[in-house]
Amino acid sequence: MSFSGTTKQRLADVLPGRKCCRAALLYGLLQGGRGFSAREMAVQTEHPEVVRLYRSLLEEICGIRTETEKGAFTIVSVAADNRARVLTAFGHEPNEVSVRLIRANFHCDDCAAAYLRGLFLSCGAVSNPETDYHLEFNVPSLPLSRDILSLWEELGYDAKTIRRKGDNVIYFKDSSVIEECLTLMGASASALELMQVKMFKDIRNRSNRAANCDMANLNKVVAAAAVHRQALEVILQNGGFGTLPENLQEIAQLRWDNPEISLRDLGELLDPPLTRSGVNHRLQRLCDIADSLRHS
């Protein structure tokens, strides 16, 4: 099952304790569904847990039963003669032109979070943190999407919006904010899983950067050693290291015997030891001598 599907399963399996929060949860499920009007009222989902939750809450809060169509997705519909009853229960009129969020349906401090949980169950999705950080709500109505955006802002979350194929999408991209949103809606286990994946990815990325840095440094050492080796070969072919100034003879022999080590390590082999800069200066003099020999 996908990360989003697992999150929905977790959310659907736990009911709020207060009846007002269960009503707010149902309100979110309804408003995020395929329709919330006298013409159509249904939730479409591939998750059996969401189907059971939707049906049980409709029966508890509104006292009605639902009709179910099964296919690739399960569609749970409210019959035409019961839709007005549901709308009235949440303060809506059957002849409303556009769907809005009625805050009077929130009766305690936890109702807003319960509503957003229901909304996520019917029109939300969260990406697998292994590949991306993205949480979204595909809201069916533009006025409703504006109300939901305002609700998120009042709760302290900076959401973004976009139009996608005629739908209104409210989304979050920041991983830390997504963790907080999941926790707010009651999916603390998914939030913890996201944090763990993020920590692992961070450690892996830092390890890769360190390995890349080590490889780059190794490549530099190898490239420098090749240049020095060629210079020393020219000197050996033209009289050998004994022809060099005394202060260059030792470094020439050490470099010839230790082509694989860094300049800093090479300096520590000298007596007395020499800094990396000092070693580099002497090796550059050897390269200059080799260039002179090549062109003589």
Side-chain angles (χ1 to χ4, degrees):
M1 184 180 293
S2 68
F3 182 77
S4 187
T6 300
T7 300
K8 289 190 176 186
Q9 183 182 54
R10 289 166 175 164
L11 288 173
D13 281 342
V14 181
L15 277 175
R18 296 189 184 96
K19 185 173 182 178
C20 64
C21 290
R22 294 197 295 277
L25 174 59
L26 174 61
Y27 191 38
L29 275 163
L30 287 162
Q31 288 206 312
R34 290 204 336 177
F36 183 62
S37 68
R39 296 185 304 277
E40 182 181 21
M41 191 175 293
V43 165
Q44 178 176 295
T45 180
E46 59 182 330
H47 305 290
E49 299 81 12
V50 176
V51 172
R52 288 194 294 270
L53 178 66
Y54 183 63
R55 299 184 72 176
S56 65
L57 287 175
L58 273 170
E59 188 167 355
E60 177 193 357
I61 305 301
C62 301
I64 64 172
R65 295 184 178 274
T66 54
E67 302 169 354
T68 303
E69 303 172 32
K70 290 189 176 180
F73 292 87
T74 300
I75 301 173
V76 189
S77 305
V78 176
D81 55 345
N82 284 325
R83 292 170 196 158
R85 184 175 175 181
V86 175
L87 290 168
T88 302
F90 289 102
H92 291 268
E93 297 295 332
N95 59 352
E96 284 179 343
V97 176
S98 62
V99 179
R100 302 297 299 265
L101 171 60
I102 297 179
R103 298 291 188 91
N105 288 305
F106 301 163
H107 299 287
C108 78
D109 293 340
D110 297 326
C111 282
Y115 170 83
L116 291 169
R117 179 198 290 196
L119 194 75
F120 177 79
L121 288 172
S122 57
C123 70
V126 59
S127 64
N128 185 340
E130 288 281 4
T131 57
D132 190 21
Y133 301 123
H134 186 88
L135 170 69
E136 71 174 37
F137 298 82
N138 198 326
V139 183
S141 157
L142 179 58
L144 179 61
S145 72
R146 290 171 176 163
D147 292 344
I148 293 167
L149 183 64
S150 296
L151 176 61
W152 276 114
E153 289 173 349
E154 289 175 26
L155 292 170
Y157 298 93
D158 184 21
K160 302 290 189 295
T161 59
I162 190 174
R163 291 277 292 176
R164 185 197 297 151
K165 296 180 180 179
D167 292 327
N168 312 281
V169 180
I170 298 172
Y171 68 94
F172 301 91
K173 295 291 289 183
D174 185 275
S175 60
S176 298
V177 174
I178 293 172
E179 291 164 14
E180 293 178 14
C181 292
L182 290 172
T183 301
L184 175 73
M185 293 187 295
S188 54
S190 293
L192 181 60
E193 187 176 339
L194 190 154
M195 282 187 279
Q196 290 172 334
V197 170
K198 185 170 69 172
M199 288 173 60
F200 176 78
K201 286 169 68 175
D202 183 54
I203 292 170
R204 184 176 59 197
N205 289 339
R206 278 187 289 173
S207 297
N208 288 338
R209 284 195 296 271
N212 291 338
C213 183
D214 290 343
M215 182 58 69
N217 289 335
L218 179 60
N219 289 338
K220 288 179 182 178
V221 170
V222 171
V227 171
H228 300 152
R229 185 81 177 186
Q230 291 171 0
L232 294 174
E233 286 176 350
V234 171
I235 294 170
L236 286 173
Q237 292 166 6
N238 290 271
F241 298 156
T243 62
L244 296 169
E246 188 175 344
N247 66 336
L248 295 182
Q249 291 180 18
E250 184 183 10
I251 190 70
Q253 190 62 54
L254 282 172
R255 191 49 162 164
W256 181 262
D257 295 337
N258 301 278
E260 77 285 353
I261 65 175
S262 68
L263 301 190
R264 183 174 286 105
D265 292 340
L266 195 62
E268 292 176 357
L269 296 177
L270 292 166
D271 185 19
L274 200 61
T275 64
R276 182 187 182 282
S277 177
V279 171
N280 186 58
H281 176 70
R282 292 191 183 185
L283 289 171
Q284 185 58 51
R285 286 181 63 193
L286 291 172
C287 290
D288 292 341
I289 291 171
D291 282 341
S292 298
L293 291 171
R294 289 190 186 98
H295 296 97
S296 61

